[in-house]
Amino acid sequence: MTALLEVQDLRVTIGSTAAVRGTSLAVDKGETHCLVGESGCGKSISALSIMGLLPKGSVRETRALRFAGEEIGGHGEREMEHLRGNRMAMIFQEPMTSLNPAYTVGSQMTEVLRRHRPVTRAAAVDRAAELLARVGITAPGLRLGQFPHQLSGGLRQRVMIAMALMCDPELLIADEPTTALDVTVQAQILRLLAELQKDLGLGILLITHDLGIVARVADRVSVMYAGEVVESAPTAELFAAPEHPYTRGLLTCVPVPGKVKRDEPLGSIPGVVPRMQPGFTGCAFRDRCPEVTAACSGSFPRRTIGNDHQFLCTLEPGWVGSAAA
Amino acid sequence: MSATATHATPAPAAPAIEVRGLRREFRVRQGMFAAPRQVIAVDDVSFAVPAGSVLGVVGESGCGKSTLARLILNLLAPTSGDVLVDGKRLADMDRRARARLIQPVFQDPFASLNPQRRVRDIIAMPLIAQGDVASDDMHRRVAEAMERVGLSRDQALRYPAQLSGGQRQRVAIARALVLRPRIVVCDEPTSALDVSVQAQILNLLAELRRDLGLTYLFISHNLAVVEHIASEVAVMYLGRIVERAESERLFAASRHPYTRALLASVLTPEPGLGVPDVGLGDIMPDPANIPPGCRFHPRCPIAVARCATEAPKAIADAAGLVECHLAESVG
Ligand SMILES: Nc1ncnc2c1ncn2[C@@H]1O[C@H](COP(=O)(O)OP(=O)(O)OP(=O)(O)O)[C@@H](O)[C@H]1O
Ligand SMILES: Nc1ncnc2c1ncn2[C@@H]1O[C@H](COP(=O)(O)OP(=O)(O)OP(=O)(O)O)[C@@H](O)[C@H]1O
Ligand code: SF4
Ligand SMILES: [Mg+2]
Ligand SMILES: [Mg+2]
């Protein structure tokens, strides 16, 4: 089966920063693939590369960038415009990047549809109202006439989701769609996304730094560190048997209610995520890794466990840490 | 125990922080011609925090957590009510005495550190403000505070922009500790940090509390973080504390439906559980328009008729405090 989205060896350089360093990932129809990692590790830049929306001055290279079986890496701006908002849609990390403060919710939502489909204004308004109701907004008519700043954060996020769905996309890329929201609203939005996916068969690439969200919504997870995917696996397997020292470390940092005793130290990873320069070789995690050896400074291949689990490290699968007694 | 108790009384000691009937209103005007609206950010809040313990404060955005913190730090004057620190009214203390007793750590270390000053000078500020600290004493205490929070000596001459987020938060904590206060008010101290760095800072705060016997008021919207560090938790909703209990009890057997909804929305990293339905609907609370009756009733999944008209009285009992018509008193 061909994946809905397939990215192979994506590299993005912005000025002197190697923002993405060889990311590969695939999203199937009806699947939620989570891209997780700490701030600055290249999640948003990866997403923007797929959409053809990189900041000026970025250089992108890929071995393959396929959408629904078609190579889109060579597409020009006009061809991308034809796909964006239409067959592939994105919810941005900052809602105000995709909502224009000067136009009402209704005019922005209908604009998206009318750009890609030959529909009347009235039909577009109907579709917008229907989708607002679909994302759980109680008074769609009222909201269509309002400006983005008149909405609460939770409502704005729902509007963004509804707007992304106007043209019935096959792929939805959601960049931290709930980070700015209260936990109660976050749960509502995530449930909504899961429901829509089930009903519409959407493929979702969900970007987050929150391992709790990953555990609850992902079918598959890719863990990013310093511009590359260091581990990728089906969700249950990643949490049950993480292999990369960074993944293992990250999982011990998260306080889990009822699991970690109060005042007992949490696991932690010393140091911070480095900013990468082009031309770096070896493991980018080595300065923070408790398992580092000389081999980590050289080149080494990605390891595979079964047919679905990969990690990028010099350690053998199933390694037992020196610290774990 | 009364506020006028003397220092000679050995036990029970005065609580480190005591808040009585605290209320703070704001008048906000949305647009030139709109009539000003009144926001009651903190509405008749009372509690006591025993010395050496940690009171966690949780609640949704806009429920009044930061306003409460600023009132307790005396950065904001209450509309009514009192804050007592170590049994003394905060409002009666002079600034320098207050600074020796209670210090803040805020969410965004970048915004709270002067970008023009070196780390060393930022940490020394509270000492300088005291006006009577000798300079070699000052150097010693800055070095001591830096060591305590895990900053290396060579970082003393750096500027905030040259530090990572976690290091900046360490600077803010060192500055808070340099006067050796008894109480630290932490307002979302790890919310701007990555999880790996958040864990470093939480471990540091826990260690400092143990070693120095500090008392914390610890504000966070992250319930897992609060459970990890707090001995007692207060849940705020539209300016009021609707439930307060010992941490273990609150997480195991909460009595307020809002607390239960908050707990249900915590997404622990446990695959296969899915995302729960928290059952709150899509009505958002508006601090400028507090509903009559129980302020939570429009969102409450278990509300009954009288919740819409009658404000629930606080039940204060062995299990803590709860404000809900349907909550049972304990023991
Ligand atoms: N417009 C830009 N110009 C220059 N560098 C950039 C730009 N946007 C991002 N970068 C750099 O690219 C790297 C990856 O950034 P990216 O925004 O993809 O991180 P992220 O994983 O999305 O982080 P966050 O969780 O903070 O959103 C970082 O080092 C960042 O500083
Ligand atoms: N200086 C001010 N002037 C007017 N209104 C204010 C002021 N400070 C706070 N408020 C209002 O008081 C209410 C409580 O705000 P507060 O900042 O205490 O909330 P919070 O619980 O800290 O929220 P968050 O989680 O977003 O930090 C809000 O409605 C806010 O808009
Ligand atoms: S008083 Fe009523 S409305 Fe308020 S929380 Fe209790 S049950 Fe819900
Ligand atoms: Mg991002
Ligand atoms: Mg706040």
Side-chain angles (χ1 to χ4, degrees):
Chain A
M1 171 179 153
T2 43
L4 176 61
L5 173 74
E6 195 182 349
V7 180
Q8 277 179 26
D9 203 17
L10 171 68
R11 291 166 193 277
V12 181
T13 313
I14 310 174
S16 63
T17 304
V20 179
R21 307 184 307 122
T23 289
S24 298
L25 56 85
V27 183
D28 286 334
K29 185 172 155 46
E31 179 189 52
T32 299
H33 189 138
C34 275
L35 195 55
V36 65
E38 295 182 287
S39 190
C41 70
K43 304 181 297 296
S44 295
I45 295 293
S46 296
L48 294 170
S49 320
I50 296 165
M51 298 295 288
L53 290 174
L54 282 171
K56 290 232 157 43
S58 320
V59 180
R60 179 185 82 182
E61 295 168 64
T62 57
R63 189 137 43 81
L65 177 51
R66 277 193 283 270
F67 174 69
E70 185 192 0
E71 175 62 44
I72 61 167
H75 274 19
E77 183 49 27
R78 285 195 53 169
E79 288 161 294
M80 283 313 291
E81 253 173 28
H82 183 68
L83 285 175
R84 268 200 308 263
N86 184 11
R87 297 181 61 199
M88 48 202 262
M90 180 156 172
I91 302 170
F92 293 87
Q93 189 163 2
E94 172 44 58
M96 293 316 271
T97 20
S98 44
L99 290 176
N100 188 328
Y103 294 92
T104 61
V105 166
S107 67
Q108 294 184 59
M109 289 183 72
T110 51
E111 216 283 308
V112 176
L113 187 62
R114 285 168 52 99
R115 197 186 310 147
H116 297 291
R117 300 275 189 283
V119 295
T120 62
R121 173 161 299 277
V125 171
D126 284 349
R127 168 91 180 141
E130 174 201 324
L131 281 169
L132 287 182
R134 184 76 187 77
V135 300
I137 289 178
T138 37
L142 167 75
R143 301 307 178 191
L144 284 173
Q146 286 186 313
F147 290 90
H149 67 87
Q150 295 174 303
L151 306 175
S152 71
L155 278 177
R156 223 179 273 159
Q157 211 57 310
R158 284 170 204 246
V159 167
M160 297 247 302
I161 295 172
M163 192 153 99
L165 297 175
M166 280 301 275
C167 296
D168 230 333
E170 294 146 72
L171 175 71
L172 178 66
I173 300 183
D175 191 357
E176 307 266 11
T178 60
T179 304
L181 305 175
D182 279 315
V183 286
T184 49
V185 183
Q186 164 170 287
Q188 291 173 337
I189 301 276
L190 291 174
R191 275 178 73 81
L192 170 68
L193 280 175
E195 230 175 81
L196 290 168
Q197 168 167 60
K198 209 159 81 219
D199 296 355
L200 309 174
L202 272 175
I204 299 181
L205 179 64
L206 181 82
I207 294 176
T208 178
H209 63 271
D210 185 335
L211 286 161
I213 294 180
V214 174
R216 302 308 190 93
V217 308
D219 297 305
R220 187 176 183 83
V221 190
S222 291
V223 180
M224 277 194 93
Y225 185 78
E228 62 197 342
V229 173
V230 295
E231 182 157 11
S232 177
T235 308
E237 186 168 336
L238 186 104
F239 283 88
E243 288 289 356
H244 198 283
Y246 177 62
T247 314
R248 289 195 190 179
L250 214 48
L251 285 168
T252 67
C253 291
V254 188
V256 181
K259 287 266 170 69
V260 192
K261 289 232 175 60
R262 173 149 43 90
D263 268 10
E264 255 173 34
L266 294 164
S268 66
I269 308 174
V272 291
V273 182
R275 176 180 279 263
M276 305 308 290
Q277 313 272 306
F280 183 91
T281 49
C283 174
F285 186 58
R286 64 180 184 244
D287 288 343
R288 303 175 76 189
C289 183
E291 307 296 331
V292 62
T293 62
C296 306
S297 306
S299 324
F300 47 87
R302 198 168 286 270
R303 291 179 179 275
T304 303
I305 305 163
N307 49 13
D308 235 7
H309 185 168
Q310 292 98 33
F311 72 106
L312 186 60
C313 175
T314 56
L315 293 161
E316 294 296 327
W319 60 277
V320 178
S322 40
Chain B
M1 126 175 223
S2 89
T4 49
T6 60
H7 279 286
T9 326
I17 307 172
E18 190 177 356
V19 155
R20 293 182 185 161
L22 204 56
R23 181 183 173 94
R24 172 66 205 212
E25 297 163 6
F26 292 107
R27 296 186 85 65
V28 287
R29 201 182 271 275
Q30 293 180 323
M32 285 233 288
F33 305 106
R37 301 200 300 168
Q38 189 189 44
V39 171
I40 306 170
V42 170
D43 187 1
D44 193 15
V45 163
S46 304
F47 59 77
V49 189
S53 69
V54 179
L55 177 68
V57 179
V58 299
E60 287 163 304
S61 185
C63 71
K65 304 182 296 297
S66 296
T67 304
L68 178 64
R70 289 162 67 213
L71 289 167
I72 289 174
L73 287 160
N74 207 53
L75 296 174
L76 201 63
T79 306
S80 57
D82 274 319
V83 178
L84 285 77
V85 174
D86 253 357
K88 295 178 283 282
R89 282 189 68 219
L90 202 61
D92 298 340
M93 263 180 240
D94 87 2
R95 247 175 85 179
R96 284 176 298 177
R98 214 154 47 215
R100 288 194 300 270
L101 214 48
I102 184 164
Q103 284 284 331
V105 174
F106 294 112
Q107 168 172 0
D108 184 352
F110 206 56
S112 69
L113 304 179
N114 184 337
Q116 321 284 6
R117 288 184 185 275
R118 295 177 194 277
V119 165
R120 182 188 61 191
D121 304 325
I122 291 171
I123 298 172
M125 274 312 279
L127 289 167
I128 295 166
Q130 289 291 315
D132 58 355
V133 183
S135 86
D136 46 342
D137 211 19
M138 185 122 59
H139 288 310
R140 196 174 42 75
R141 286 175 68 174
V142 169
E144 181 189 291
M146 285 186 65
E147 196 185 323
R148 269 248 71 114
V149 302
L151 287 168
S152 62
R153 273 156 186 264
D154 58 304
Q155 281 156 344
L157 296 178
R158 302 231 187 129
Y159 292 94
Q162 297 170 303
L163 302 175
S164 71
Q167 288 169 339
R168 282 182 215 135
Q169 201 56 296
R170 286 175 199 268
V171 172
I173 295 170
R175 178 179 58 185
L177 292 181
V178 77
L179 288 177
R180 302 184 186 125
R182 307 241 350 259
I183 301 157
V184 180
V185 174
C186 306
D187 189 357
E188 307 266 11
T190 64
S191 303
L193 306 175
D194 274 322
V195 280
S196 68
V197 181
Q198 165 174 288
Q200 296 165 14
I201 297 295
L202 287 176
N203 288 347
L204 171 66
L205 287 170
E207 177 193 313
L208 292 171
R209 189 194 62 77
R210 263 193 320 272
D211 294 357
L212 307 176
L214 296 172
T215 306
Y216 295 149
L217 184 83
F218 189 97
I219 293 173
S220 175
H221 65 271
N222 186 329
L223 274 83
V225 164
V226 166
E227 191 208 20
H228 185 68
I229 197 158
S231 34
E232 207 187 354
V233 180
V235 179
M236 282 187 88
Y237 191 79
L238 285 177
R240 284 186 74 83
I241 292 179
V242 295
E243 183 165 12
R244 198 182 72 232
E246 204 182 284
S247 187
E248 281 81 2
R249 188 189 275 273
L250 188 105
F251 281 85
S254 56
R255 291 192 285 169
H256 198 287
Y258 177 63
T259 310
R260 289 200 289 271
L262 274 186
L263 291 175
S265 7
V266 177
L267 302 178
T268 53
E270 298 169 289
L273 296 184
V275 182
D277 179 3
V278 295
L280 292 186
D282 73 341
I283 305 157
M284 281 295 123
D286 174 5
N289 194 1
I290 293 178
C294 169
R295 59 194 63 210
F296 182 55
H297 88 263
R299 296 171 82 197
C300 181
I302 59 167
V304 294
R306 73 168 160 148
C307 302
T309 53
E310 190 185 325
K313 287 204 178 57
I315 302 173
D317 57 20
L321 173 139
V322 59
E323 283 190 352
C324 171
H325 288 304
L326 303 184
E328 307 268 326
S329 175
V330 172

